[in-house]
Amino acid sequence: MIYLNNDIAHFDFDAALPLLSEQRRRQALKFRHELGRKTCAAAYLLLCEGLRKEYGITEPPVFEYGEHGKPSIVGRPDIHFNMSHCREAAICVLADRPVGADIESIRQYKESLARYTMNDEELHQILTAACPDVAFTKLWTKKEAVLKCLGTGIRNNMKTVLNGVAPISTVVDEARGYVYSIAYDFLTAT
């Protein structure tokens, strides 16, 4: 299930603070800027909402982390989730299998970054798109969602991340200025 908060501007961080676990409160307060604190808390509260609605869990979850930093809920290996946030929105996805989600602000396309992270086919998609900024962001969120699903973190060779990967759900909200992608436990082509 997908939980999305795309009204970060009106998110009340002070009201959210007591609803966070001590662990998440410390993490949110590490952000130097208010926006980072808000989006960190908003993503966590989306997880809490999903846990309450889908599993009847009312206690704030505490995380443990995998080798590359992927969080899981202590004592609940059966619950798979992933959170992400950007300037405009926060997202949390819960599933019964591994899942990765990434949300990014649509930002100006930079050729140097695209050449470093995209293969020739992906570069062609970007360069021939009506809006290269959106095309790049779509591909980037797909790659990051796959890596988050796998729990490997960003790797050196970003160009091959989408090779052989099943379709990934992607939503573009140009009016609000963000793109998100979700990758569920997928099978790579053999």
Side-chain angles (χ1 to χ4, degrees):
M1 197 57 122
I2 300 169
Y3 294 88
L4 180 71
N5 179 339
N6 56 15
D7 191 17
I8 297 300
H10 295 102
F11 183 82
D12 186 344
F13 179 72
D14 292 329
L17 207 53
L19 304 174
L20 307 178
S21 69
E22 180 60 34
Q23 178 189 51
R24 190 63 173 196
R25 188 176 307 121
R26 283 192 310 270
Q27 186 176 3
L29 291 171
K30 286 182 183 178
F31 284 88
R32 289 180 39 201
H33 301 286
E34 179 184 22
L35 181 59
R37 291 189 293 269
K38 281 182 165 186
T39 56
C40 178
Y44 182 82
L45 291 181
L46 291 171
L47 173 63
C48 291
E49 178 185 355
L51 291 173
R52 187 176 58 256
K53 287 180 177 178
E54 296 181 40
Y55 296 93
I57 297 172
T58 58
E59 292 297 314
V62 175
F63 302 146
E64 55 190 359
Y65 296 90
E67 178 183 350
H68 298 286
K70 184 172 183 173
S72 59
I73 299 169
V74 172
R76 292 305 304 257
D78 59 313
I79 299 174
H80 300 274
F81 71 96
N82 206 237
M83 301 179 294
S84 185
H85 48 83
C86 65
R87 289 187 310 266
E88 296 78 15
I91 191 169
C92 178
V93 180
L94 283 97
D96 60 357
R97 61 192 192 273
V99 64
D102 186 45
I103 190 165
E104 298 285 341
S105 303
I106 299 170
R107 56 183 177 242
Q108 186 175 359
Y109 160 74
K110 290 189 169 103
E111 184 177 352
S112 60
L113 180 59
R115 291 203 179 280
Y116 183 70
T117 59
M118 303 292 163
N119 62 39
D120 290 341
E121 181 183 325
E122 293 162 345
L123 282 171
H124 179 72
Q125 288 176 40
I126 294 166
L127 295 173
T128 59
C131 185
D133 300 346
V134 172
F136 174 81
T137 307
K138 283 173 65 174
L139 285 165
W140 179 267
T141 61
K142 286 180 179 185
K143 289 175 184 249
E144 196 159 331
V146 167
L147 295 173
K148 289 174 79 176
C149 181
L150 294 171
T152 61
I154 293 182
R155 331 185 282 198
N156 290 339
N157 191 356
M158 293 288 288
K159 293 180 179 188
T160 62
V161 171
L162 298 179
N163 293 355
V165 172
I168 297 163
S169 172
T170 300
V171 173
V172 177
D173 191 332
E174 286 189 64
R176 289 195 168 102
Y178 63 82
V179 174
Y180 70 82
S181 292
I182 300 168
Y184 293 95
D185 188 17
F186 49 85
L187 300 174
T188 54
T190 55

